[in-house]
Amino acid sequence: MKILYVCEYPYVLYKVLIKAALNKEDIMDIIITNRIEEMLNIVENIKKSRLFRNVYIFDLKSLKLKYDMQLYKRQKNVIKQRIYELKICKYFYHISNKKKLKNLKIEINFNQYDEIYCTDGGFAIENYLTVNKIPHIMMEHAKDVHVRKNYSFLAGLFHYIEVMLDQYNITTGIGIASKYCTTLEINSDQGREQMPFVKKRKLLVWNVKEHIDQLPEEKREMILKIYMESYIKEFDYEQQYNLLLTNPLYIDGDVACEEEQIKVYQKIIKKYHLDDKCKLLIKPHPRDCTDYTKKIDGILIDGMISAEILCISRKLKLNRVVALYSSSADAFINQANEVIRIADNEEKGIIFCRKMLNKKG
């Protein structure tokens, strides 16, 4: 089979590298875009790995498309806040970009591929495939993201409206609302926790952990090396580390400013003894742009590296892994001596932050 993977987000790229490392027969090509500029740092090392027949780079910045990447939840305007929670910003960006995407010249023959996988969440190439009526398979932009806790009632309702508009050809839906999305690839079937509209799609379960376990040692080290040489220049396998996984608290409106965000994590480090004996690794969420090194003594790992990369190698020695409410902590259960996930969800995480900051409410 000939397969094309379109990677516009770090987690998706990580999954695709695992797929390529396990591949034995298929011909695989990959497109990496600069929607997140730092993702381009890894391109040359992916080419050197020879995991793919072709590695394409697609420059989105030159298209001057409208993006939702900078639309965060920190909105004082109540109406704008509600629009964000509806998750409809990306839909209107899709509408405004539709003409430009339809007439876009991409020097790739998409018809040559038996399967095309792309990133969900209203990303540019996925939008291009939709407006040009090219069938494709969607990959979650984050692990188990299509669950009830991530959708408000209004967001779910808007999705059904979007599907209806797409079905009657009034306008084209995006992501899994599009008729040209034939399948949704998910990390695991969440049962009743899954959003109802997800169950109406053809689902393909591809569990990251299960496939990592299938990787031989040399392939594990090869994937880690790709990331190490691209993003991490100093690392000592003889040293034992503690790991802090962050969430973008300020960007998501969980705290009032970056100073409060840093203060919360300083208190977490102290409370869970992350700065005792072992060196501290700080792994920010991909959307977390805070520079912790000015206030916290630790090794900052580039946000473009999926947290799971740090447990793909059995050589890395982790003592304690602590996350506020990041689901990435679960990946380290068999890797670290202790894994602590402080809160089950964002709401409980906010309550914890308020306690750390001595705030009421």
Side-chain angles (χ1 to χ4, degrees):
M1 291 181 67
K2 287 186 178 180
I3 304 174
L4 175 66
Y5 292 102
V6 182
C7 298
E8 299 192 60
Y9 209 64
Y11 174 74
V12 174
L13 178 58
Y14 170 58
K15 283 182 63 176
V16 170
L17 287 176
I18 296 170
K19 289 184 176 189
L22 289 169
N23 177 51
K24 294 180 180 178
E25 299 178 353
D26 296 328
I27 297 171
M28 293 183 171
D29 291 346
I30 185 172
I31 297 175
I32 300 175
T33 77
N34 61 344
R35 187 175 196 243
I36 302 178
E37 194 71 41
E38 291 83 356
M39 279 186 65
L40 297 186
N41 294 356
I42 202 171
V43 170
E44 288 306 314
N45 286 310
I46 289 179
K47 288 180 178 179
K48 290 177 186 176
S49 72
R50 299 187 180 277
L51 288 171
F52 302 93
R53 180 186 64 171
N54 294 303
V55 179
Y56 299 106
I57 302 171
F58 196 80
D59 181 15
L60 295 175
K61 302 295 171 69
S62 63
L63 301 179
K64 297 181 179 179
L65 297 173
K66 295 182 179 179
Y67 292 95
D68 64 339
M69 203 64 175
Q70 301 304 318
L71 282 182
Y72 300 136
K73 283 198 288 186
R74 56 171 190 267
Q75 292 286 357
K76 293 182 180 179
N77 185 303
V78 175
I79 295 175
K80 288 183 178 180
Q81 173 73 17
R82 294 298 172 261
I83 289 175
Y84 180 92
E85 291 174 356
L86 272 171
K87 301 178 185 281
I88 63 175
C89 293
K90 64 183 180 184
Y91 180 74
F92 290 111
Y93 280 151
H94 165 71
I95 298 299
S96 63
N97 289 326
K98 184 176 178 180
K99 185 176 180 180
K100 187 175 286 188
L101 287 167
K102 189 168 181 62
N103 297 322
L104 183 63
K105 302 295 182 185
I106 298 182
E107 302 301 322
I108 297 174
N109 177 16
F110 288 100
N111 293 324
Q112 69 178 293
Y113 297 105
D114 299 297
E115 293 179 342
I116 300 174
Y117 288 77
C118 57
T119 312
D120 76 353
F123 288 84
I125 302 297
E126 180 267 315
N127 280 205
Y128 169 86
L129 296 172
T130 294
V131 298
N132 286 283
K133 303 179 180 180
I134 300 172
H136 51 276
I137 298 168
M138 302 294 301
M139 296 182 288
E140 296 174 305
H141 70 275
K143 185 172 69 176
D144 299 324
V145 70
H146 295 295
V147 291
R148 294 177 186 274
K149 67 180 182 180
N150 292 335
Y151 286 80
S152 67
F153 169 77
L154 291 176
L157 178 62
F158 183 80
H159 176 85
Y160 286 111
I161 295 172
E162 188 183 354
V163 169
M164 188 178 300
L165 293 172
D166 181 82
Q167 286 178 344
Y168 288 97
N169 297 314
I170 298 172
T171 186
T172 52
I174 58 173
I176 57 175
S178 167
K179 65 175 70 71
Y180 299 105
C181 167
T182 61
T183 307
L184 174 64
E185 182 184 276
I186 57 176
N187 180 67
S188 58
D189 190 341
Q190 296 290 299
R192 293 183 178 180
E193 294 302 313
Q194 209 96 48
M195 284 297 290
F197 59 74
V198 170
K199 297 176 183 178
K200 294 184 178 181
R201 283 286 171 191
K202 180 181 178 182
L203 298 180
L204 172 63
V205 177
W206 199 93
N207 186 272
V208 174
K209 184 182 182 304
E210 289 177 2
H211 285 85
I212 288 176
D213 291 341
Q214 295 174 26
L215 284 172
E217 197 66 36
E218 66 272 15
K219 293 293 182 71
R220 286 170 172 258
E221 298 304 323
M222 179 185 68
I223 292 175
L224 181 63
K225 184 179 179 182
I226 290 172
Y227 281 91
M228 293 279 284
E229 292 185 352
S230 303
Y231 296 107
I232 309 173
K233 303 306 178 186
E234 297 180 8
F235 219 68
D236 183 3
Y237 283 118
E238 299 304 316
Q239 174 71 44
Q240 193 170 48
Y241 295 93
N242 288 324
L243 173 63
L244 173 65
L245 301 172
T246 79
N247 289 91
L249 303 177
Y250 170 49
I251 285 174
D252 285 349
D254 299 340
V255 296
C257 58
E258 275 198 338
E259 288 72 22
E260 286 192 355
Q261 177 171 315
I262 292 172
K263 189 174 181 180
V264 167
Y265 285 120
Q266 285 176 322
K267 287 180 176 289
I268 286 175
I269 289 168
K270 186 174 182 180
K271 179 179 176 66
Y272 295 99
H273 309 289
L274 296 182
D275 55 354
D276 294 353
K277 298 180 182 178
C278 302
K279 286 188 177 180
L280 174 62
L281 299 175
I282 305 170
K283 167 58 185 75
H285 185 280
R287 290 188 293 110
D288 185 358
C289 302
T290 301
D291 184 1
Y292 294 97
T293 57
K294 294 179 180 179
K295 297 288 182 70
I296 299 174
D297 184 17
I299 301 171
L300 190 68
I301 298 172
D302 197 289
M304 293 302 100
I305 300 178
S306 294
E308 291 91 338
I309 285 293
L310 297 174
C311 62
I312 198 170
S313 170
R314 296 188 177 95
K315 293 181 181 180
L316 180 60
K317 300 172 184 175
L318 291 173
N319 176 45
R320 182 176 293 130
V321 176
V322 176
L324 183 49
Y325 56 85
S326 172
S327 60
S328 296
D330 299 340
F332 296 90
I333 290 174
N334 297 320
Q335 181 80 5
N337 294 332
E338 185 180 12
V339 176
I340 301 170
R341 190 171 168 186
I342 299 170
D344 295 333
N345 53 49
E346 185 175 0
E347 288 72 23
K348 292 180 180 178
I350 293 172
I351 294 171
F352 178 86
C353 289
R354 287 171 178 163
K355 288 180 179 178
M356 291 293 99
L357 299 169
N358 296 317
K359 287 189 172 184
K360 296 180 180 180

